[in-house]
Amino acid sequence: MKNIFLICVLALSLNGFAQTATAKNTSNFETITLGGGCYWCVEAVYENLDGVKSVVSGFAGGNVANPTYEEVCTGTTGHAEVVQITYDKTKTDLNEIFKVFFTVHDPTTLNRQGADVGTQYRSVIFYKNAEQKNAATSIIAELNKAKVYGTPIVTKVEPFKAFYKAEDYHQNYYANNKNQPYCKMVIQPKIEKFEKVFKDKLKKK
């Protein structure tokens, strides 16, 4: 009986330790939602950043619940194409996340990225807490002050309200469609630029 009692106590202790470890591990992760034009492009870049656990393409900032891709493309739902990035704060941070963001898209063109035109392609950061808001507004102010771009940044910084995941065929689009013309002509150059600038921050393959 004593042995059974000791085993039960040990099992409960280990279970408690496991739960504490899991909670601690979970607390290392945070999500940020960004819109930088076509989400296929942004997703493909962040998938390669060390410390990023997952990148999900979807929609945010609109006034319609659970919109479809076709609805968002009309520009009437108010949504932006975004990616929801979950990252490990022990491996990367908001500063790095934002540096990548402002490197791989043009934050000075209103409601467009290249040939992609419409409010759904606007440059926007949806913050979930004060830390994210302050980090976003700070880096935008620094970039504008340093005149990194020829014209002022038009990226909006807005409170996060809801995220709606896009249809399955939009997830990992670049990885699954590398031979498509859009992937070769638009996404690939962004990835190459990212890999050149952040070569020391790439995930090990």
Side-chain angles (χ1 to χ4, degrees), residues 159-180:
F160 175 84
K161 294 181 179 178
F163 171 80
Y164 301 101
K165 183 179 178 181
E167 294 85 344
D168 288 345
Y169 73 91
H170 289 290
Q171 311 302 325
N172 300 307
Y173 188 86
Y174 174 76
N176 296 327
N177 300 275
K178 289 184 179 180
N179 293 322
Q180 293 288 339

PDB file of all heavy atoms in Angstrom, residues 159-180:
ATOM      1  N   PRO A 159      -5.985  48.605 -33.081  1.00  0.00           N
ATOM      2  CA  PRO A 159      -6.218  47.542 -32.092  1.00  0.00           C
ATOM      3  C   PRO A 159      -6.767  46.283 -32.753  1.00  0.00           C
ATOM      4  O   PRO A 159      -7.608  46.368 -33.656  1.00  0.00           O
ATOM      5  CB  PRO A 159      -7.241  48.156 -31.131  1.00  0.00           C
ATOM      6  CG  PRO A 159      -7.931  49.206 -31.953  1.00  0.00           C
ATOM      7  CD  PRO A 159      -6.880  49.762 -32.864  1.00  0.00           C
ATOM      8  N   PHE A 160      -6.272  45.144 -32.314  1.00  0.00           N
ATOM      9  CA  PHE A 160      -6.740  43.863 -32.841  1.00  0.00           C
ATOM     10  C   PHE A 160      -8.135  43.559 -32.310  1.00  0.00           C
ATOM     11  O   PHE A 160      -8.404  43.714 -31.129  1.00  0.00           O
ATOM     12  CB  PHE A 160      -5.778  42.758 -32.412  1.00  0.00           C
ATOM     13  CG  PHE A 160      -6.227  41.370 -32.790  1.00  0.00           C
ATOM     14  CD1 PHE A 160      -5.977  40.872 -34.053  1.00  0.00           C
ATOM     15  CD2 PHE A 160      -6.916  40.577 -31.882  1.00  0.00           C
ATOM     16  CE1 PHE A 160      -6.392  39.597 -34.399  1.00  0.00           C
ATOM     17  CE2 PHE A 160      -7.342  39.312 -32.223  1.00  0.00           C
ATOM     18  CZ  PHE A 160      -7.078  38.823 -33.496  1.00  0.00           C
ATOM     19  N   LYS A 161      -9.018  43.130 -33.206  1.00  0.00           N
ATOM     20  CA  LYS A 161     -10.379  42.763 -32.801  1.00  0.00           C
ATOM     21  C   LYS A 161     -10.693  41.311 -33.109  1.00  0.00           C
ATOM     22  O   LYS A 161     -11.194  40.578 -32.254  1.00  0.00           O
ATOM     23  CB  LYS A 161     -11.387  43.692 -33.478  1.00  0.00           C
ATOM     24  CG  LYS A 161     -11.286  45.144 -33.019  1.00  0.00           C
ATOM     25  CD  LYS A 161     -12.320  46.026 -33.706  1.00  0.00           C
ATOM     26  CE  LYS A 161     -12.208  47.465 -33.211  1.00  0.00           C
ATOM     27  NZ  LYS A 161     -13.182  48.354 -33.902  1.00  0.00           N
ATOM     28  N   ALA A 162     -10.427  40.893 -34.332  1.00  0.00           N
ATOM     29  CA  ALA A 162     -10.729  39.511 -34.702  1.00  0.00           C
ATOM     30  C   ALA A 162      -9.875  39.092 -35.893  1.00  0.00           C
ATOM     31  O   ALA A 162      -9.505  39.926 -36.722  1.00  0.00           O
ATOM     32  CB  ALA A 162     -12.208  39.355 -35.042  1.00  0.00           C
ATOM     33  N   PHE A 163      -9.573  37.815 -35.929  1.00  0.00           N
ATOM     34  CA  PHE A 163      -8.818  37.233 -37.039  1.00  0.00           C
ATOM     35  C   PHE A 163      -9.615  36.077 -37.612  1.00  0.00           C
ATOM     36  O   PHE A 163     -10.116  35.231 -36.874  1.00  0.00           O
ATOM     37  CB  PHE A 163      -7.455  36.722 -36.564  1.00  0.00           C
ATOM     38  CG  PHE A 163      -6.702  35.914 -37.590  1.00  0.00           C
ATOM     39  CD1 PHE A 163      -6.001  36.540 -38.608  1.00  0.00           C
ATOM     40  CD2 PHE A 163      -6.695  34.523 -37.539  1.00  0.00           C
ATOM     41  CE1 PHE A 163      -5.317  35.807 -39.565  1.00  0.00           C
ATOM     42  CE2 PHE A 163      -6.009  33.780 -38.487  1.00  0.00           C
ATOM     43  CZ  PHE A 163      -5.323  34.420 -39.505  1.00  0.00           C
ATOM     44  N   TYR A 164      -9.738  36.064 -38.928  1.00  0.00           N
ATOM     45  CA  TYR A 164     -10.452  34.986 -39.604  1.00  0.00           C
ATOM     46  C   TYR A 164      -9.497  34.273 -40.556  1.00  0.00           C
ATOM     47  O   TYR A 164      -8.945  34.892 -41.469  1.00  0.00           O
ATOM     48  CB  TYR A 164     -11.648  35.542 -40.386  1.00  0.00           C
ATOM     49  CG  TYR A 164     -12.633  36.280 -39.515  1.00  0.00           C
ATOM     50  CD1 TYR A 164     -12.645  37.673 -39.480  1.00  0.00           C
ATOM     51  CD2 TYR A 164     -13.519  35.589 -38.695  1.00  0.00           C
ATOM     52  CE1 TYR A 164     -13.534  38.356 -38.665  1.00  0.00           C
ATOM     53  CE2 TYR A 164     -14.417  36.267 -37.873  1.00  0.00           C
ATOM     54  CZ  TYR A 164     -14.417  37.652 -37.863  1.00  0.00           C
ATOM     55  OH  TYR A 164     -15.302  38.323 -37.035  1.00  0.00           O
ATOM     56  N   LYS A 165      -9.301  33.010 -40.309  1.00  0.00           N
ATOM     57  CA  LYS A 165      -8.380  32.226 -41.139  1.00  0.00           C
ATOM     58  C   LYS A 165      -8.903  32.109 -42.560  1.00  0.00           C
ATOM     59  O   LYS A 165     -10.091  31.861 -42.782  1.00  0.00           O
ATOM     60  CB  LYS A 165      -8.211  30.830 -40.527  1.00  0.00           C
ATOM     61  CG  LYS A 165      -7.216  29.948 -41.266  1.00  0.00           C
ATOM     62  CD  LYS A 165      -7.093  28.590 -40.583  1.00  0.00           C
ATOM     63  CE  LYS A 165      -6.135  27.678 -41.358  1.00  0.00           C
ATOM     64  NZ  LYS A 165      -6.024  26.337 -40.717  1.00  0.00           N
ATOM     65  N   ALA A 166      -8.016  32.269 -43.521  1.00  0.00           N
ATOM     66  CA  ALA A 166      -8.395  32.132 -44.929  1.00  0.00           C
ATOM     67  C   ALA A 166      -8.570  30.657 -45.278  1.00  0.00           C
ATOM     68  O   ALA A 166      -8.167  29.759 -44.527  1.00  0.00           O
ATOM     69  CB  ALA A 166      -7.330  32.755 -45.814  1.00  0.00           C
ATOM     70  N   GLU A 167      -9.149  30.403 -46.424  1.00  0.00           N
ATOM     71  CA  GLU A 167      -9.384  29.029 -46.884  1.00  0.00           C
ATOM     72  C   GLU A 167      -8.068  28.242 -46.937  1.00  0.00           C
ATOM     73  O   GLU A 167      -6.989  28.815 -47.083  1.00  0.00           O
ATOM     74  CB  GLU A 167     -10.038  29.052 -48.273  1.00  0.00           C
ATOM     75  CG  GLU A 167     -11.443  29.655 -48.289  1.00  0.00           C
ATOM     76  CD  GLU A 167     -11.487  31.161 -48.406  1.00  0.00           C
ATOM     77  OE1 GLU A 167     -10.443  31.813 -48.177  1.00  0.00           O
ATOM     78  OE2 GLU A 167     -12.559  31.712 -48.718  1.00  0.00           O
ATOM     79  N   ASP A 168      -8.181  26.934 -46.825  1.00  0.00           N
ATOM     80  CA  ASP A 168      -7.000  26.069 -46.733  1.00  0.00           C
ATOM     81  C   ASP A 168      -6.026  26.241 -47.890  1.00  0.00           C
ATOM     82  O   ASP A 168      -4.809  26.159 -47.701  1.00  0.00           O
ATOM     83  CB  ASP A 168      -7.430  24.595 -46.643  1.00  0.00           C
ATOM     84  CG  ASP A 168      -8.035  24.242 -45.296  1.00  0.00           C
ATOM     85  OD1 ASP A 168      -7.863  25.036 -44.341  1.00  0.00           O
ATOM     86  OD2 ASP A 168      -8.681  23.184 -45.192  1.00  0.00           O
ATOM     87  N   TYR A 169      -6.540  26.483 -49.090  1.00  0.00           N
ATOM     88  CA  TYR A 169      -5.624  26.555 -50.228  1.00  0.00           C
ATOM     89  C   TYR A 169      -4.751  27.808 -50.200  1.00  0.00           C
ATOM     90  O   TYR A 169      -3.776  27.928 -50.950  1.00  0.00           O
ATOM     91  CB  TYR A 169      -6.383  26.448 -51.550  1.00  0.00           C
ATOM     92  CG  TYR A 169      -7.197  27.661 -51.961  1.00  0.00           C
ATOM     93  CD1 TYR A 169      -6.643  28.668 -52.760  1.00  0.00           C
ATOM     94  CD2 TYR A 169      -8.526  27.797 -51.556  1.00  0.00           C
ATOM     95  CE1 TYR A 169      -7.396  29.766 -53.138  1.00  0.00           C
ATOM     96  CE2 TYR A 169      -9.289  28.891 -51.941  1.00  0.00           C
ATOM     97  CZ  TYR A 169      -8.720  29.874 -52.738  1.00  0.00           C
ATOM     98  OH  TYR A 169      -9.465  30.968 -53.114  1.00  0.00           O
ATOM     99  N   HIS A 170      -5.078  28.749 -49.301  1.00  0.00           N
ATOM    100  CA  HIS A 170      -4.242  29.944 -49.160  1.00  0.00           C
ATOM    101  C   HIS A 170      -3.086  29.714 -48.187  1.00  0.00           C
ATOM    102  O   HIS A 170      -2.133  30.490 -48.178  1.00  0.00           O
ATOM    103  CB  HIS A 170      -5.078  31.117 -48.653  1.00  0.00           C
ATOM    104  CG  HIS A 170      -6.041  31.650 -49.656  1.00  0.00           C
ATOM    105  ND1 HIS A 170      -5.652  32.338 -50.782  1.00  0.00           N
ATOM    106  CD2 HIS A 170      -7.400  31.587 -49.706  1.00  0.00           C
ATOM    107  CE1 HIS A 170      -6.715  32.690 -51.476  1.00  0.00           C
ATOM    108  NE2 HIS A 170      -7.789  32.236 -50.850  1.00  0.00           N
ATOM    109  N   GLN A 171      -3.175  28.675 -47.380  1.00  0.00           N
ATOM    110  CA  GLN A 171      -2.138  28.404 -46.397  1.00  0.00           C
ATOM    111  C   GLN A 171      -0.922  27.753 -47.081  1.00  0.00           C
ATOM    112  O   GLN A 171      -1.078  26.874 -47.917  1.00  0.00           O
ATOM    113  CB  GLN A 171      -2.667  27.494 -45.285  1.00  0.00           C
ATOM    114  CG  GLN A 171      -3.998  27.944 -44.679  1.00  0.00           C
ATOM    115  CD  GLN A 171      -3.951  29.355 -44.100  1.00  0.00           C
ATOM    116  OE1 GLN A 171      -2.938  29.797 -43.549  1.00  0.00           O
ATOM    117  NE2 GLN A 171      -5.061  30.082 -44.217  1.00  0.00           N
ATOM    118  N   ASN A 172       0.278  28.231 -46.716  1.00  0.00           N
ATOM    119  CA  ASN A 172       1.518  27.711 -47.327  1.00  0.00           C
ATOM    120  C   ASN A 172       1.460  27.786 -48.852  1.00  0.00           C
ATOM    121  O   ASN A 172       1.925  26.883 -49.545  1.00  0.00           O
ATOM    122  CB  ASN A 172       1.770  26.257 -46.888  1.00  0.00           C
ATOM    123  CG  ASN A 172       1.917  26.131 -45.393  1.00  0.00           C
ATOM    124  OD1 ASN A 172       2.724  26.819 -44.765  1.00  0.00           O
ATOM    125  ND2 ASN A 172       1.105  25.255 -44.793  1.00  0.00           N
ATOM    126  N   TYR A 173       0.869  28.865 -49.348  1.00  0.00           N
ATOM    127  CA  TYR A 173       0.636  28.972 -50.784  1.00  0.00           C
ATOM    128  C   TYR A 173       1.934  28.908 -51.585  1.00  0.00           C
ATOM    129  O   TYR A 173       2.021  28.175 -52.579  1.00  0.00           O
ATOM    130  CB  TYR A 173      -0.103  30.273 -51.110  1.00  0.00           C
ATOM    131  CG  TYR A 173      -0.543  30.329 -52.561  1.00  0.00           C
ATOM    132  CD1 TYR A 173      -1.747  29.766 -52.955  1.00  0.00           C
ATOM    133  CD2 TYR A 173       0.259  30.915 -53.535  1.00  0.00           C
ATOM    134  CE1 TYR A 173      -2.146  29.783 -54.288  1.00  0.00           C
ATOM    135  CE2 TYR A 173      -0.123  30.945 -54.863  1.00  0.00           C
ATOM    136  CZ  TYR A 173      -1.321  30.371 -55.238  1.00  0.00           C
ATOM    137  OH  TYR A 173      -1.701  30.392 -56.565  1.00  0.00           O
ATOM    138  N   TYR A 174       2.930  29.651 -51.163  1.00  0.00           N
ATOM    139  CA  TYR A 174       4.190  29.660 -51.920  1.00  0.00           C
ATOM    140  C   TYR A 174       4.835  28.280 -51.940  1.00  0.00           C
ATOM    141  O   TYR A 174       5.272  27.806 -52.992  1.00  0.00           O
ATOM    142  CB  TYR A 174       5.167  30.681 -51.329  1.00  0.00           C
ATOM    143  CG  TYR A 174       6.521  30.635 -51.986  1.00  0.00           C
ATOM    144  CD1 TYR A 174       6.717  31.195 -53.249  1.00  0.00           C
ATOM    145  CD2 TYR A 174       7.607  30.017 -51.369  1.00  0.00           C
ATOM    146  CE1 TYR A 174       7.954  31.131 -53.876  1.00  0.00           C
ATOM    147  CE2 TYR A 174       8.845  29.953 -51.978  1.00  0.00           C
ATOM    148  CZ  TYR A 174       9.016  30.510 -53.240  1.00  0.00           C
ATOM    149  OH  TYR A 174      10.245  30.431 -53.855  1.00  0.00           O
ATOM    150  N   ALA A 175       4.887  27.643 -50.789  1.00  0.00           N
ATOM    151  CA  ALA A 175       5.515  26.324 -50.693  1.00  0.00           C
ATOM    152  C   ALA A 175       4.827  25.300 -51.591  1.00  0.00           C
ATOM    153  O   ALA A 175       5.468  24.397 -52.124  1.00  0.00           O
ATOM    154  CB  ALA A 175       5.500  25.839 -49.242  1.00  0.00           C
ATOM    155  N   ASN A 176       3.519  25.475 -51.770  1.00  0.00           N
ATOM    156  CA  ASN A 176       2.755  24.517 -52.572  1.00  0.00           C
ATOM    157  C   ASN A 176       2.605  24.909 -54.041  1.00  0.00           C
ATOM    158  O   ASN A 176       2.095  24.122 -54.844  1.00  0.00           O
ATOM    159  CB  ASN A 176       1.353  24.341 -51.971  1.00  0.00           C
ATOM    160  CG  ASN A 176       1.383  23.735 -50.583  1.00  0.00           C
ATOM    161  OD1 ASN A 176       2.245  22.916 -50.278  1.00  0.00           O
ATOM    162  ND2 ASN A 176       0.454  24.139 -49.732  1.00  0.00           N
ATOM    163  N   ASN A 177       3.051  26.123 -54.384  1.00  0.00           N
ATOM    164  CA  ASN A 177       2.836  26.600 -55.766  1.00  0.00           C
ATOM    165  C   ASN A 177       4.039  27.365 -56.313  1.00  0.00           C
ATOM    166  O   ASN A 177       3.895  28.383 -56.988  1.00  0.00           O
ATOM    167  CB  ASN A 177       1.606  27.513 -55.809  1.00  0.00           C
ATOM    168  CG  ASN A 177       0.333  26.822 -55.375  1.00  0.00           C
ATOM    169  OD1 ASN A 177      -0.338  26.159 -56.160  1.00  0.00           O
ATOM    170  ND2 ASN A 177      -0.010  26.977 -54.101  1.00  0.00           N
ATOM    171  N   LYS A 178       5.233  26.892 -56.039  1.00  0.00           N
ATOM    172  CA  LYS A 178       6.450  27.620 -56.401  1.00  0.00           C
ATOM    173  C   LYS A 178       6.601  27.873 -57.899  1.00  0.00           C
ATOM    174  O   LYS A 178       7.291  28.820 -58.295  1.00  0.00           O
ATOM    175  CB  LYS A 178       7.678  26.872 -55.881  1.00  0.00           C
ATOM    176  CG  LYS A 178       7.831  26.923 -54.381  1.00  0.00           C
ATOM    177  CD  LYS A 178       9.103  26.244 -53.931  1.00  0.00           C
ATOM    178  CE  LYS A 178       9.267  26.328 -52.421  1.00  0.00           C
ATOM    179  NZ  LYS A 178      10.509  25.668 -51.945  1.00  0.00           N
ATOM    180  N   ASN A 179       5.982  27.051 -58.719  1.00  0.00           N
ATOM    181  CA  ASN A 179       6.118  27.220 -60.163  1.00  0.00           C
ATOM    182  C   ASN A 179       5.096  28.168 -60.776  1.00  0.00           C
ATOM    183  O   ASN A 179       5.156  28.453 -61.978  1.00  0.00           O
ATOM    184  CB  ASN A 179       6.041  25.848 -60.862  1.00  0.00           C
ATOM    185  CG  ASN A 179       7.236  24.973 -60.528  1.00  0.00           C
ATOM    186  OD1 ASN A 179       8.356  25.463 -60.415  1.00  0.00           O
ATOM    187  ND2 ASN A 179       6.999  23.676 -60.360  1.00  0.00           N
ATOM    188  N   GLN A 180       4.158  28.662 -59.960  1.00  0.00           N
ATOM    189  CA  GLN A 180       3.177  29.614 -60.463  1.00  0.00           C
ATOM    190  C   GLN A 180       3.876  30.944 -60.795  1.00  0.00           C
ATOM    191  O   GLN A 180       4.788  31.369 -60.073  1.00  0.00           O
ATOM    192  CB  GLN A 180       2.084  29.858 -59.420  1.00  0.00           C
ATOM    193  CG  GLN A 180       1.186  28.660 -59.143  1.00  0.00           C
ATOM    194  CD  GLN A 180       0.241  28.370 -60.308  1.00  0.00           C
ATOM    195  OE1 GLN A 180      -0.030  29.233 -61.149  1.00  0.00           O
ATOM    196  NE2 GLN A 180      -0.236  27.141 -60.366  1.00  0.00           N
TER     197      GLN A 180
END
